[in-house]
Amino acid sequence: MAVLTRSGEQRIWEYHNTLRTEGVATPIVRGIAHDVTERVRAAKALRATNKELLKTARERERMLRELTLFRTLLDQSNDAVEVIDPETLRFIEVNEKACGELGYSREELLSMTVFDIDPGYDNSLRASVQQQLREPGFVIMERVHRRKMERRSR
């Protein structure tokens, strides 16, 4: 039951009543009331938090499915695909085709930069690529890369 206090605050009270009719001339009602406002508010807040957590968990599951699909499509590509951090020029993602063509393991490539496999990549090309990145936000390039075995023989 909602109760309005003198200060105008609304509180929620819970009542428990019993009726005593035995051994008395007239029935007696005994009751006790508890202020359960904080408990009700906490339960409501918990439900809202649980709802948000469930929404977040479902969104993450959806994203994981999409990333798994993306990873599968990337690895099944007939082209070598390398995703590079534009600031550090480190590889942040590579597909199996890139690993196979360059002769490196995925872990090896992810620890390398463009300079490690592209002897022709210089600061002028870097500036050109960064300019292209400002417009559409991505760059597609075709370059000649040095394989692992070629790198060792130099």
Side-chain angles (χ1 to χ4, degrees):
M1 166 185 254
V3 175
L4 196 60
T5 65
R6 288 183 188 151
S7 65
E9 181 185 10
Q10 184 174 348
R11 305 294 290 178
I12 302 169
W13 285 38
E14 182 178 81
Y15 291 92
H16 297 280
N17 298 313
T18 58
L19 177 63
R20 181 174 174 202
T21 56
E22 294 178 14
V24 291
T26 58
I28 300 173
V29 176
R30 285 191 265 182
I32 187 166
H34 297 281
D35 185 344
V36 294
T37 306
E38 297 308 318
R39 184 179 75 197
V40 169
R41 288 178 183 164
K44 184 177 180 180
L46 183 61
R47 282 191 302 275
T49 300
N50 284 343
K51 185 177 179 179
E52 282 301 311
L53 285 173
L54 185 59
K55 180 181 173 184
T56 300
R58 286 182 178 146
E59 178 65 20
R60 287 188 179 187
E61 286 174 0
R62 184 188 62 77
M63 287 174 58
L64 184 59
R65 284 191 308 272
E66 289 175 1
L67 286 171
T68 301
L69 175 61
F70 174 75
R71 173 90 247 159
T72 301
L73 292 172
L74 192 67
D75 282 336
Q76 298 302 317
S77 173
N78 288 327
D79 296 319
V81 179
E82 300 147 359
V83 181
I84 300 164
D85 181 317
E87 298 299 320
T88 65
L89 299 180
R90 287 206 167 281
F91 294 104
I92 55 176
E93 191 58 69
V94 294
N95 67 352
E96 290 177 12
K97 184 77 168 187
C99 296
E101 286 186 1
L102 294 171
Y104 292 98
S105 70
R106 184 171 189 278
E107 291 73 25
E108 287 175 311
L109 276 174
L110 294 179
S111 71
M112 298 167 70
T113 68
V114 170
F115 297 112
D116 294 320
I117 66 163
D118 191 341
Y121 199 90
D122 58 17
N123 284 331
S124 65
L125 182 58
R126 182 180 191 172
S128 171
V129 167
Q130 287 179 334
Q131 177 61 35
Q132 291 176 45
L133 278 172
R134 286 187 191 100
E135 294 303 313
F138 66 92
V139 177
I140 298 174
M141 301 175 62
E142 288 192 31
R143 303 284 301 162
V144 176
H145 291 156
R146 186 183 312 138
R147 292 180 47 77
K148 185 176 186 176
M149 296 307 285
E150 294 169 10
R151 189 165 186 250
R152 286 188 181 156
S153 63
R154 290 187 172 213

